[in-house]
Amino acid sequence: MPFRYYTVSSEHAHFIMIDSSSIIFDVEQQKWLSDVYQKLNDQNDGKWLILVSHHPLEYYGPRRMKTAPEWHKYQFTLPSKGIVFREPIILKPNQRDDYFTAHEYVGILTIGGLIKFILEQNAYKFDAVLSAHEHSMVISDIQMNFSGGQQTGSIMQIISGGGGAPLNVVDKGVDPTTRLLFAKKEHGYVHLSITKDQLKFHNVYITKPYHSRWFFNKNKTEAERNDYRDNIVTVEKSYKNQEPKTNYSE
């Protein structure tokens, strides 16, 4: 990676890569995120806006059962940069030197939960979040409460964490505001292709003779959201007993 956090744009999408291990401590990174999100959002060029974060906004494996703050293990110092990460320091919306107090996010124990808090408070309305951290393959539709609950919305979260480490059991008892669309305890990877109006995700499993794919349309209706689970199951069944494709030309 060229930097700890940066952006990349393609023909149909803008990708904002954050350093999720440090952003909750790193005021400068939060200011950068605010500036770059505003700049790309103001362009209004019709491109997808995608956040890339190692930590997902919501966890579905053992990590979601934590009883102590996850960020304790990320507390460290970078003397050469003058950076000390001790406790979360989260900027208030549209502020450069005013912060939320700890009691305002008390009970949020995960790194991803605090990143979600940042997105909601600042009304950062990404189309999708690409992440890992959980050792499984998961697609979910997460309810978001933007601007302190004044606006509601949702964000599609894609977890591709089945690279090679021991796999996590996926806990189906997720937050009731989350629609868990797809979950596999499998080693594999996700192939993403993007058009102007559609994201296409192709889940390829390393040890199974089938794969699955699904799509996410822009300006989707609630009916389309409700159809996702059935669409995914149907497509996956149609690929059973076939070799995964290696040429993604579509």
Side-chain angles (χ1 to χ4, degrees), residues 30-47:
Q30 292 177 43
K31 292 178 181 177
W32 169 86
L33 177 60
S34 175
D35 292 342
V36 74
Y37 177 87
Q38 194 64 52
K39 177 182 176 180
L40 294 176
N41 194 53
D42 287 349
Q43 287 180 12
N44 195 27
D45 54 14
K47 292 186 178 183

Side-chain angles (χ1 to χ4, degrees), residues 136-189:
S136 53
M137 312 278 280
V138 180
I139 301 169
S140 56
D141 185 20
I142 300 175
Q143 180 75 41
M144 303 289 283
N145 293 303
F146 296 114
S147 303
Q150 297 178 32
Q151 307 171 40
T152 59
S154 63
I155 188 168
M156 300 301 294
Q157 175 174 273
I158 298 86
I159 299 176
S160 177
L167 296 168
N168 294 152
V169 174
V170 179
D171 182 0
K172 301 298 179 64
V174 299
D175 188 293
T177 63
T178 294
R179 184 178 288 116
L180 188 61
L181 303 174
F182 176 90
K184 283 287 184 184
K185 182 185 175 183
E186 298 286 357
H187 285 117
Y189 60 90

Side-chain angles (χ1 to χ4, degrees), residues 9 52 76 81-82 218 231:
S9 295
V52 181
F76 60 92
K81 302 290 186 180
K218 269 195 175 178
N231 288 344

Side-chain angles (χ1 to χ4, degrees), residues 163-228:
L167 296 168
N168 294 152
V169 174
V170 179
D171 182 0
K172 301 298 179 64
V174 299
D175 188 293
T177 63
T178 294
R179 184 178 288 116
L180 188 61
L181 303 174
F182 176 90
K184 283 287 184 184
K185 182 185 175 183
E186 298 286 357
H187 285 117
Y189 60 90
V190 175
H191 174 273
L192 167 64
S193 61
I194 304 175
T195 67
K196 179 181 179 181
D197 299 311
Q198 193 173 78
L199 298 180
K200 297 179 181 180
F201 292 90
H202 208 137
N203 292 344
V204 180
Y205 311 118
I206 295 186
T207 60
K208 300 294 183 181
Y210 61 86
H211 53 136
S212 60
R213 60 182 175 179
W214 64 283
F215 59 90
F216 174 33
N217 290 326
K218 269 195 175 178
N219 303 317
K220 58 197 174 302
T221 65
E222 186 64 23
E224 286 175 321
R225 283 189 185 280
N226 291 331
D227 282 344
Y228 280 164

Side-chain angles (χ1 to χ4, degrees), residues 3 17-19 30 34 42 49 65 68 89 98 106 174 178 200 204 219 227 229 240:
F3 307 101
M17 285 76 162
I18 62 172
D19 178 359
Q30 292 177 43
S34 175
D42 287 349
L49 195 55
M65 306 305 293
I89 304 175
D98 191 13
V106 68
V174 299
T178 294
K200 297 179 181 180
V204 180
N219 303 317
D227 282 344
R229 181 186 294 274
K240 284 188 176 180

